[in-house]
Amino acid sequence: MKHLHKIGMIAVVGGMLATVSCSDFSDYNTVPVSSEPSADKTLWENISANPNLSDFAAVLQRVGYDEILSSAHTYTVWAPVNGSFNTDSLRNISDAKVEKEFVRNLIADFAHKESDTNDTTIYMLNEKLLKFGNKNTSALTFDAQRVLANMDNASIFNYPSVNGLLYTVANPATFRYNGYEIISELKSEASKFFSYVQRYERVTLDEENSVKGEIKDGMQHYDDSVMITSNYLTEILLRAKLDNEDSLYTALIPNDEAWDKAYNTISKYYNYIPTIAYQDLSSNDVGNNKGSGTTQNPIMNPTTGSVSTSLDAAPADAKIQETEAYWTDSITRRWITNNLIFSENNRRYNSKLTSGVTFTATDTIYSTRGNYLTHPQNVVDATDRIIDLSNGHARVLNDYPFLPEDTYAEVIKTRIVARCVTSSGSGFTNKGAINVPGSMWQPEDNITTLYYVRADVPDNSSYAPELDFYLEDVLSCTYDIYAVIVPACLDMDYPADYYPEGTYKPYSLRFDINYTDANNKPVAGRFDGETIQTVAADIKRVKAFECGLEKVDTVKLGRMTFPICYSGTSAKPNIKVMHTSSSFLSSTKKKYEQRLRVANIILKPVNENEENANKE
């Protein structure tokens, strides 16, 4: 994001062009020889002498462009006639804004002729790209505004001057902000988004392109300073060069109302505590089937194998120094902004953002962060207004349009075994893909290929194996939790007749969980299909899950709310998959399948509105 904050630097650009093609540069930097009355006067003299340009001349004088347009440098000016713009509105804004958004939007380096062969895109002094169109016709336009004929010679449109070309236009070219500029322009209504983006902005001196002056008191001074503005958030994190006039983006700008709604919703999912206790599954004290066995169905002491992790300190310059609150704040803001930019050049996914075609329920849009967002009609519904930019469009939002599962609260799936407890000398095997017939599974998203993990025990073993899974990046929200259990008859290691039809056996399983409460107290519980039970008397009454007889079973273990967030930390809750029986004698083997086969443990966040509706 390089801003050349110096008009004189255009001469440097021109010099660079000259080294590439001297003839092309000369064509643009040389004013055509002309016998027109204006040809022996400067651009400023021709503007100030034209009674139809008196309003424009006054604006030029206000910001010092009477001197610039009297210099030897070659320019082209598209001057708006009196009455075509509101002089009172210009008086109410700063000189810097008038210069950038009005004056420099009407002036370009070099002599741009109306008789050039092709329509051209002009690089204006404010770095905007505007179209000089309908050339070689009587309908000449600049930025779609009509160019007026020379008053002294109706066969031409320009007024040749000693230092460039002057055109008069029926209306001034429209100034359009680019994707980066619009963020500052909207800061009164989107102040929280603006403040967040501005925190990542850096302005540095471009020493290579700046003109060095004297050294005073040991410090290098510059006669012409070129400053480079960069922004780590937009350029690196969001992967968008929003100030690039050659790019096309749709930028979503949440107003303060939308920001607050998003912040209040997302921050609940990232409730941290300073120190988080969790169960270390590599501890020798964990497992060994301690969560199953006996008719009382005991549950492991929740503090067994307990370790803890502390959150890192907040950065010294962070406004929030309470560590856990800093984590909540910083992650929440990142999620609000993470998917706000879309490339309009991506026609496969993002074309409907600008075409006006109605989105369908199956449409997806694709952010510059590389994320797919479903239900894009939500973006349209949350749009307060659309602003045309010089490099795309901005949508001012009055609500946060993205679904939790697409962004800040994704579905969690794992089949990575943290610990497998089996008989001595055996363990578990990660199994490859199996194609599951539709009659044996009703999967989501039409997935028919399944991977799974199997706890292995010898045929003659009487051991009841156990599979333990860490749950990565769990948030402080409510989840519906499932286990995907694969029947023995689909085991890819056995021939088709190994489990003859009629001899299939189900699993009889318990599912225990270990997590931490808001007071950093370890909690052990058992799923009962609806929720979890944590009181010993209630745990004893939890019925076994009989499943996986002759089809893949996606078993709902229950719904539970995690009081704290683990995401980004080394702490993790865990789920233990166990048999009801503590041992497999011949009578048990005849009734139940011994080798555990788990395809996935799934945590699906419950939508906040759905959760509230269920409570009612």
Side-chain angles (χ1 to χ4, degrees):
M1 189 179 297
K2 187 171 185 177
H3 293 171
L4 304 181
H5 300 302
K6 191 71 179 177
I7 294 174
M9 280 308 299
I10 301 299
V12 175
V13 176
M16 293 169 65
L17 291 173
T19 63
V20 176
S21 174
C22 292
S23 60
D24 290 347
F25 173 70
S26 297
D27 289 343
Y28 279 97
N29 205 39
T30 302
V31 180
V33 175
S34 174
S35 60
E36 293 299 316
S38 62
D40 62 350
K41 299 180 179 64
T42 66
L43 286 165
W44 169 246
E45 288 173 329
N46 284 319
I47 292 170
S48 59
N50 189 328
N52 289 328
L53 301 178
S54 58
D55 289 344
F56 183 57
V59 176
L60 293 176
Q61 281 186 304
R62 170 184 167 184
V63 293
Y65 272 70
D66 51 342
E67 296 182 10
I68 291 172
L69 296 181
S70 298
S71 68
H73 188 81
T74 304
Y75 296 105
T76 299
V77 181
W78 287 268
V81 296
N82 291 350
S84 65
F85 60 93
N86 190 326
T87 57
D88 290 335
S89 64
L90 291 180
R91 291 191 189 98
N92 294 326
I93 59 179
S94 68
D95 287 357
K97 197 173 180 71
V98 169
E99 179 183 358
K100 176 183 177 180
E101 299 181 10
F102 185 74
V103 172
R104 297 182 71 172
N105 202 50
L106 300 170
I107 303 174
D109 281 290
F110 317 129
H112 296 276
K113 306 179 188 69
E114 65 199 67
S115 58
D116 290 341
T117 305
N118 300 312
D119 292 351
T120 50
T121 298
I122 308 299
Y123 186 79
M124 308 305 292
L125 289 189
N126 62 1
E127 303 173 26
K128 300 298 176 182
L129 299 173
L130 301 180
K131 186 177 179 181
F132 197 15
N134 298 327
K135 298 176 99 174
N136 297 299
T137 73
S138 60
L140 185 67
T141 60
F142 179 68
D143 191 39
Q145 303 300 328
R146 185 166 56 95
V147 179
L148 306 176
N150 184 313
M151 291 189 300
D152 299 319
N153 184 352
S155 65
I156 63 173
F157 287 89
N158 68 75
Y159 295 82
S161 307
V162 295
N163 60 342
L165 295 175
L166 169 66
Y167 296 90
T168 57
V169 289
N171 292 285
T174 301
F175 176 82
R176 301 173 183 87
Y177 298 99
N178 62 40
Y180 192 73
E181 294 167 333
I182 195 64
I183 297 172
S184 298
E185 186 60 22
L186 295 175
K187 63 183 178 183
S188 61
E189 59 183 297
S191 63
K192 297 179 180 180
F193 176 60
F194 166 75
S195 297
Y196 183 68
V197 173
Q198 192 178 47
R199 285 168 48 185
Y200 291 87
E201 184 176 282
R202 298 292 181 269
V203 179
T204 56
L205 176 70
D206 184 355
E207 295 185 16
E208 182 179 348
N209 289 314
S210 296
V211 179
K212 292 183 177 180
E214 298 180 15
I215 295 178
K216 299 179 181 179
D217 300 325
M219 298 291 293
Q220 177 69 62
H221 289 251
Y222 293 86
D223 294 333
D224 287 310
S225 299
V226 178
M227 307 306 294
I228 300 174
T229 301
S230 61
N231 192 293
Y232 185 79
L233 174 67
T234 57
E235 294 177 44
I236 305 301
L237 299 181
L238 300 186
R239 305 171 192 169
K241 297 182 178 179
L242 289 177
D243 72 327
N244 188 339
E245 301 288 343
D246 286 330
S247 300
L248 287 174
Y249 295 103
T250 288
L252 308 183
I253 312 294
N255 63 22
D256 287 346
E257 178 187 6
W259 183 278
D260 287 341
K261 286 181 181 179
Y263 191 95
N264 293 336
T265 299
I266 297 173
S267 61
K268 297 175 185 175
Y269 288 71
Y270 292 88
N271 176 41
Y272 290 94
I273 57 178
T275 302
I276 306 174
Y278 68 102
Q279 192 174 60
D280 179 10
L281 292 178
S282 66
S283 168
N284 289 330
D285 296 328
V286 180
N288 301 317
N289 219 33
K290 293 179 181 178
S292 64
T294 80
T295 57
Q296 285 76 35
N297 301 317
I299 195 163
M300 179 179 289
N301 187 314
T303 62
T304 301
S306 182
V307 294
S308 63
T309 185
S310 297
L311 301 185
D312 294 332
D317 61 349
K319 292 182 178 179
I320 298 175
Q321 282 301 313
E322 185 184 351
T323 306
E324 61 274 18
Y326 168 78
W327 274 55
T328 298
D329 182 73
S330 57
I331 293 176
T332 299
R333 291 170 188 269
R334 278 294 305 280
W335 272 122
I336 295 174
T337 57
N338 218 29
N339 295 291
L340 294 182
I341 312 299
F342 298 83
S343 171
E344 294 182 3
N345 292 325
N346 187 328
R347 308 301 299 169
R348 180 178 180 183
Y349 291 103
N350 299 337
S351 61
K352 291 183 180 179
L353 280 173
T354 58
S355 66
V357 177
T358 302
F359 284 108
T360 67
T362 59
D363 280 336
T364 300
I365 53 179
Y366 185 73
S367 74
T368 55
R369 278 284 301 167
N371 296 322
Y372 298 92
L373 291 312
T374 61
H375 298 80
Q377 183 61 35
N378 292 347
V379 173
V380 177
D381 295 341
T383 299
D384 181 68
R385 69 184 188 280
I386 299 175
I387 301 171
D388 289 336
L389 304 176
S390 59
N391 60 349
H393 302 83
R395 288 176 174 266
V396 181
L397 304 182
N398 54 28
D399 202 352
Y400 185 75
F402 303 125
L403 299 180
E405 56 266 33
D406 287 344
T407 50
Y408 57 86
E410 295 179 312
V411 173
I412 297 171
K413 294 184 179 183
T414 183
R415 62 172 171 275
I416 299 175
V417 176
R419 182 180 177 89
C420 178
V421 185
T422 63
S423 56
S424 177
S426 60
F428 68 95
T429 305
N430 282 304
K431 306 308 297 178
I434 53 173
N435 292 311
V436 184
S439 60
M440 298 184 70
W441 190 31
Q442 297 299 323
E444 294 183 356
D445 303 323
N446 298 316
I447 298 172
T448 58
T449 302
L450 200 61
Y451 295 82
Y452 63 98
V453 61
R454 183 184 67 203
D456 294 324
V457 291
D459 288 338
N460 61 356
S461 172
S462 62
Y463 199 91
E466 175 182 325
L467 290 173
D468 301 343
F469 300 87
Y470 276 135
L471 306 177
E472 300 276 356
D473 293 325
V474 169
L475 308 179
S476 51
C477 67
T478 301
Y479 291 94
D480 282 332
I481 303 178
Y482 303 83
V484 181
I485 306 299
V486 177
C489 59
L490 286 178
D491 197 312
M492 60 192 304
D493 279 352
Y494 300 100
D497 59 355
Y498 189 88
Y499 291 99
E501 189 171 354
T503 65
Y504 299 162
K505 295 174 290 186
Y507 302 92
S508 179
L509 301 178
R510 306 268 180 204
F511 298 89
D512 287 356
I513 187 166
N514 185 286
Y515 68 98
T516 304
D517 69 13
N519 297 315
N520 200 32
K521 180 182 177 181
V523 179
R526 178 162 293 163
F527 289 99
D528 64 5
E530 296 292 334
T531 182
I532 61 169
Q533 301 298 335
T534 59
V535 178
D538 297 328
I539 288 172
K540 292 178 183 180
R541 289 192 288 268
V542 172
K543 295 180 179 180
F545 290 84
E546 291 203 1
C547 54
L549 174 63
E550 55 187 12
K551 67 182 180 68
V552 176
D553 270 341
T554 300
V555 181
K556 183 175 180 179
L557 307 184
R559 174 175 290 187
M560 69 164 291
T561 300
F562 289 90
I564 67 167
C565 178
Y566 297 82
S567 181
T569 75
S570 60
K572 310 173 211 39
N574 68 75
I575 283 180
K576 302 174 182 70
V577 183
M578 300 166 293
H579 288 285
T580 305
S581 299
S582 60
S583 63
F584 265 75
L585 302 176
S586 58
S587 58
T588 309
K589 287 183 179 183
K590 289 179 181 179
K591 190 174 182 181
Y592 296 112
E593 175 57 33
Q594 183 178 13
R595 295 181 177 93
L596 293 172
R597 297 170 183 86
V598 179
N600 259 318
I601 301 294
I602 302 173
L603 280 70
K604 293 184 177 181
V606 177
N607 184 284
E608 189 178 55
N609 293 332
E610 179 187 348
E611 185 180 4
N612 292 335
N614 289 336
K615 289 178 180 178
E616 293 173 1

